[in-house]
Amino acid sequence: MPSTAHIAPPAGAEYPPDVLSERCPSRRILNHVTSRWGVLVLIALQDGTHRFSELRRRIGGVSERMLAQTLRVLEEDGFITRTAHPVVPPHVEYDLTPMGQLVAQKVHALAECIESNLGRILKAGG
Amino acid sequence: MPSTAHIAPPAGAEYPPDVLSERCPSRRILNHVTSRWGVLVLIALQDGTHRFSELRRRIGGVSERMLAQTLRVLEEDGFITRTAHPVVPPHVEYDLTPMGQLVAQKVHALAECIESNLGRILKAGG
DNA sequence: CAGTATCCTATCGGATACTG
DNA sequence: CAGTATCCGATAGGATACTG
């Protein structure tokens, strides 16, 4: 039986999500999560609430623009909550949602796997 | 005690890898693994050996150029082995190394986590 | 079959300046 | 403090044609 992984479901039908399939929406989400800064934001938020500038300091090399954009996208996907306290100066807090904690765990596991094998990897690649 | 996550180790010294640190080499590798096609190649190779054109068909939407490039990078990092059989027409096989299987498992777990929550996610985001 | 080479575009992402 | 707006360069990535 041939694979149907590349066949998009007809409108209205529901197939099990398959990230190898070009049109599966999971791929868009996966790209958000695995984006250059998305990965690091999720990891940085794993130990609890953080403010914008805390995250900015914590995640080496991220620009304000990219941090804001990444937070917005991950919030839209339901991985992050944004809480703005109406005070001056502004005070905004970011947290992982329960679902966000799930994906953050997976992302973190991946990062740790790479970190713990770094020796072997760098030896292999130069 | 302030965080030192953003401080790069002096030349010759060895610090525990920290992906939140700008100069940590793990970040480069993580970017390869979480690249648009890197993720999908690792997943597609999880069930064993595959040839170039098999992968191309399996991974919806990938171009020859991007597949070749992604395979080369992941091979350099030591996640994939490339075996060329000297016959005409050419016959080349790709496999995961043991280390590649480890990261592929993590990547796959992440993808499955997203797939199984797709309903909630799409509802949240529109 | 398994790529490379070339060309081109779109998106990513950085720097800077500005705002409520 | 927590962003937005604008501009710009780098690079990821697609289409096509070609090769051993």
Side-chain angles (χ1 to χ4, degrees):
Chain A
M1 178 178 170
S3 163
T4 55
H6 61 295
I7 310 281
E14 300 241 350
Y15 284 47
D18 176 5
V19 82
L20 293 181
S21 172
E22 187 167 4
R23 311 261 255 285
C24 181
S26 66
R27 219 188 250 194
R28 217 184 94 255
I29 309 300
L30 190 61
N31 284 337
H32 297 166
V33 168
T34 61
S35 69
R36 176 164 183 189
W37 303 114
V39 172
L40 303 182
V41 164
L42 290 169
I43 291 175
L45 280 174
Q46 266 204 311
D47 62 345
T49 303
H50 287 283
R51 303 180 58 173
F52 187 87
S53 46
E54 285 172 354
L55 289 171
R56 178 123 157 71
R57 274 189 299 275
R58 203 129 183 265
I59 302 172
V62 70
S63 67
E64 290 185 357
R65 185 173 120 82
M66 280 303 109
L67 181 55
Q69 187 177 113
T70 303
L71 287 167
R72 228 182 303 122
V73 169
L74 293 180
E75 191 197 354
E76 276 171 23
D77 289 342
F79 297 126
I80 284 180
T81 60
R82 178 185 183 278
T83 311
H85 302 275
V87 296
V88 279
H91 185 113
V92 181
E93 292 181 338
Y94 293 94
D95 278 287
L96 293 177
T97 64
M99 194 170 65
Q101 293 180 26
L102 281 178
V103 305
Q105 278 164 26
K106 312 295 184 185
V107 165
H108 192 203
L110 174 62
E112 285 196 318
C113 175
I114 288 174
E115 285 174 347
S116 67
N117 285 281
L118 245 195
R120 249 176 302 280
I121 296 171
L122 297 180
K123 196 169 160 188
Chain B
M1 179 175 171
S3 163
T4 56
H6 61 296
I7 310 279
E14 299 240 349
Y15 284 46
D18 176 5
V19 82
L20 292 181
S21 173
E22 187 167 5
R23 312 261 253 287
C24 182
S26 66
R27 219 187 251 193
R28 217 185 94 254
I29 309 300
L30 190 61
N31 285 337
H32 297 166
V33 168
T34 60
S35 68
R36 177 163 183 191
W37 303 115
V39 172
L40 304 182
V41 164
L42 290 169
I43 291 175
L45 280 175
Q46 266 205 312
D47 61 345
T49 303
H50 287 283
R51 303 180 59 172
F52 186 88
S53 47
E54 285 173 353
L55 289 172
R56 179 127 158 69
R57 274 189 299 274
R58 204 128 182 266
I59 301 173
V62 70
S63 65
E64 291 185 356
R65 187 172 117 83
M66 280 303 109
L67 180 55
Q69 187 177 114
T70 303
L71 287 167
R72 230 181 302 122
V73 169
L74 293 180
E75 190 198 355
E76 276 170 23
D77 289 341
F79 296 125
I80 283 180
T81 58
R82 178 185 184 278
T83 312
H85 301 275
V87 296
V88 278
H91 184 113
V92 180
E93 293 180 338
Y94 293 93
D95 278 288
L96 293 178
T97 63
M99 193 169 66
Q101 294 181 25
L102 280 178
V103 304
Q105 279 165 26
K106 312 295 182 181
V107 165
H108 192 203
L110 173 62
E112 284 196 317
C113 176
I114 288 174
E115 285 174 346
S116 67
N117 285 283
L118 244 195
R120 249 177 301 281
I121 296 172
L122 297 179
K123 197 169 162 189

